[in-house]
Amino acid sequence: MFDYSVFTKEIEEAKQKGLFINIRTLESPQGAWLTIDGRKVLNLCSNNYLGFANEERLKQAAIKAIEKWGVGPGAVRTIAGTMAIHVELEKTLAAFKKVEDVLFLQSGFLANQAVIPAITDERDAILSDELNHASIIDGVRLSKAKRYIWKHRDIEDLARALEQATKEGARRKLIITDGVFSMDGDIAPLKEIVELAERYDALVMVDDAHGEGVLGESGRGIVDHFNLHGKVDIEIGTLSKAFGVVGGYVAGRKELIDYLRQKARPFMFSTPLSPADTAACLEAVKMLMESDERVRRLWDNANYFKSKMKELGFDVGESQTPITPVMLYDATVASKFSQRLFEEGIFAQSIGYPLVPHGKARIRVMISAVHTKQDLDFAIEKFEKIGREFGIIK
Ligand code: PMP
């Protein structure tokens, strides 16, 4: 008989170290406030940057799509055919991102898994920032290409790695970086990366999961932020964060997307998202194209929260975006801090290893456009109270 206590033991160890992930059950939709255990708590955890997750227009679009298309796509698109609603989303996203074509996939995670092994093999080199998201790391693992991990946002180290890959005779060189790093909120030096890539004839792939809806004109993302249209070969996106729904995509040149439709395994072997999801995503993109009001509100909120937290003496890292890491370093402290916040009416999870390196535990605060100034003041007041209790601020 298999001894299942090995799993229980590991969970107990994680609990001792403050690394156990307590998954809360929500009794309400995503929004500024949530109901958990029958209590209203302020939500500082979700990636629902723009408040689209429970937006009426998106809900109505999803309901209409169910009436028109039913609930399931039938099978993978290469076999059962592709519904016009999926194609319409891809075309609209391509216009929004100012690229030639888009491939819609089931998640941002799968988009990374789809592209990386489809375009590289043992003859190639992948150059990946050391703090890239887990889905990039796993995507790289699925490829037989040689890996070169470069120091976080360090252009000189990337140049060194490109030099080495060139000397070792790599056929293709694929540079991969997160656009906005999800745990620290810092932004990749994409302009410099693109310049280096041109020099070494490398491909550039950027994961824009936390950049879209946040950076650039009307939240078009990191490529728009740096005005690098046409210079970044592959953009990975998610529809689960600022767009408020679920799904992922790859954006780029027509030749690349045509190739991925024939070669990317999550596209060829897994059924796409439902018509309801797809229609809600489409409505979110349309709403962003109509107005950037939510994006502006998001930045106002984030700037207000961050400046107040800094004034209080909290270490909020080097974030350049609404992601606000409240650095506590010790995982047990972070876990207890999060628990105290919850008792005071705030849902803000602690984040420890393996999501961040050992010794870099934090409460990651995710600000949203739907937070009111009152909500933010409530959060600041509670952080101040508990920060003093814990001796983290004076
Ligand atoms: N890339 C990055 C940088 C992310 O932060 C995430 C979400 N945690 C993903 C990809 C995965 O996106 P999704 O949730 O759509 O799978």
Side-chain angles (χ1 to χ4, degrees):
M1 250 283 273
F2 182 78
D3 177 11
Y4 281 88
S5 71
V6 291
F7 299 138
T8 322
K9 203 164 143 260
E10 283 210 24
I11 289 175
E12 282 311 315
E13 277 169 18
K15 280 185 182 164
Q16 302 279 314
K17 293 180 191 155
L19 296 175
F20 178 73
I21 304 166
N22 184 12
I23 304 174
R24 305 271 188 194
T25 303
L26 311 183
E27 293 140 22
S28 63
Q30 282 293 339
W33 291 80
L34 300 169
T35 310
I36 299 178
D37 301 337
R39 284 171 62 218
K40 285 245 178 271
V41 288
L42 182 68
N43 182 10
L44 296 182
C45 286
S46 94
N47 297 322
N48 181 23
Y49 286 114
L50 302 177
F52 281 146
N54 192 33
E55 157 63 38
E56 194 54 34
R57 262 180 70 178
L58 271 66
K59 291 199 277 189
Q60 289 309 320
I63 291 164
K64 275 200 199 121
I66 291 176
E67 282 164 357
K68 180 165 179 190
W69 296 100
V71 290
V76 296
R77 291 165 70 183
T78 44
I79 292 172
T82 193
M83 285 174 162
I85 185 95
H86 292 107
V87 177
E88 192 185 346
L89 172 63
E90 289 172 336
K91 290 209 164 113
T92 310
L93 265 174
F96 179 68
K97 300 289 283 186
K98 301 188 179 171
V99 293
E100 287 181 7
D101 207 353
V102 157
L103 183 68
F104 179 45
L105 289 155
Q106 301 87 340
S107 72
F109 200 102
L110 270 181
N112 279 317
Q113 316 264 290
V115 178
I116 301 167
I119 61 168
T120 56
D121 65 25
E122 59 279 354
R123 293 166 290 181
D124 304 318
I126 297 175
L127 304 103
S128 183
D129 183 293
E130 64 181 342
L131 291 191
N132 275 344
H133 189 256
S135 55
I136 296 176
I137 296 172
D138 288 5
V140 173
R141 284 183 182 143
L142 288 174
S143 164
K144 293 197 171 76
K146 181 157 182 199
R147 295 158 209 178
Y148 302 77
I149 309 301
W150 44 291
K151 287 194 197 124
H152 181 49
R153 294 172 75 227
D154 185 334
I155 284 296
E156 277 173 26
D157 201 41
L158 173 60
R160 182 202 51 73
L162 279 163
E163 196 63 43
Q164 196 186 337
T166 308
K167 266 197 207 129
E168 288 173 4
R171 176 189 64 161
R172 275 177 206 157
K173 294 180 280 279
L174 174 65
I175 303 171
I176 314 179
T177 184
D178 272 11
V180 173
F181 288 83
S182 57
M183 293 298 150
D184 295 297
D186 49 345
I187 301 178
L190 198 57
K191 220 171 171 48
E192 291 80 0
I193 292 173
V194 164
E195 279 163 18
L196 260 190
E198 279 169 3
R199 200 164 346 129
Y200 284 92
D201 198 18
L203 291 160
V204 177
M205 169 168 158
V206 65
D207 181 335
D208 204 19
H210 288 275
E212 53 211 353
V214 177
L215 298 176
E217 187 210 348
S218 277
R220 280 180 167 74
I222 190 166
V223 171
D224 192 78
H225 172 77
F226 286 117
N227 196 18
L228 290 169
H229 293 290
K231 296 193 169 170
V232 171
D233 300 282
I234 305 158
E235 285 179 73
I236 298 297
T238 174
L239 291 139
S240 68
K241 301 188 195 301
F243 291 111
V245 193
V246 66
Y249 65 90
V250 188
R253 292 266 299 251
K254 186 176 177 307
E255 298 94 319
L256 170 79
I257 305 299
D258 281 346
Y259 173 83
L260 292 174
R261 283 196 186 99
Q262 306 299 316
K263 298 282 180 190
R265 293 169 69 85
F267 180 74
M268 297 167 72
F269 294 101
S270 181
T271 303
L273 291 181
S274 74
D277 294 315
T278 312
C281 292
L282 180 59
E283 199 61 25
V285 183
K286 283 182 182 166
M287 281 183 73
L288 260 182
M289 286 167 105
E290 283 167 21
S291 163
D292 68 351
E293 203 247 321
R294 284 173 192 248
V295 181
R296 281 191 277 116
R297 250 194 291 151
L298 168 69
W299 278 96
D300 287 348
N301 281 351
N303 290 335
Y304 178 76
F305 181 78
K306 252 194 242 176
S307 69
K308 290 280 175 194
M309 290 291 280
K310 274 189 204 162
E311 269 172 36
L312 285 172
F314 280 105
D315 173 358
V316 290
E318 304 294 321
S319 171
Q320 300 162 275
T321 60
I323 296 170
T324 308
V326 181
M327 298 304 297
L328 298 167
Y329 299 99
D330 183 278
T332 313
V333 172
S335 165
K336 286 186 179 152
F337 201 107
S338 165
Q339 186 53 39
R340 275 293 292 122
L341 282 168
F342 193 71
E343 286 161 14
E344 294 284 338
I346 293 185
F347 181 38
Q349 289 280 54
S350 64
I351 299 208
Y353 183 82
L355 288 140
V356 292
H358 279 298
K360 293 243 171 116
R362 66 201 63 187
I363 307 275
R364 187 182 63 154
V365 174
M366 300 301 281
I367 299 293
S368 167
V370 287
H371 287 126
T372 63
K373 173 129 183 317
Q374 259 177 331
D375 294 340
L376 299 175
D377 285 337
F378 176 73
I380 292 156
E381 180 199 315
K382 298 299 182 188
F383 265 99
E384 181 178 7
K385 179 178 174 187
I386 299 163
R388 288 193 208 289
E389 253 174 56
F390 278 61
I392 284 154
I393 54 166
K394 300 223 166 49

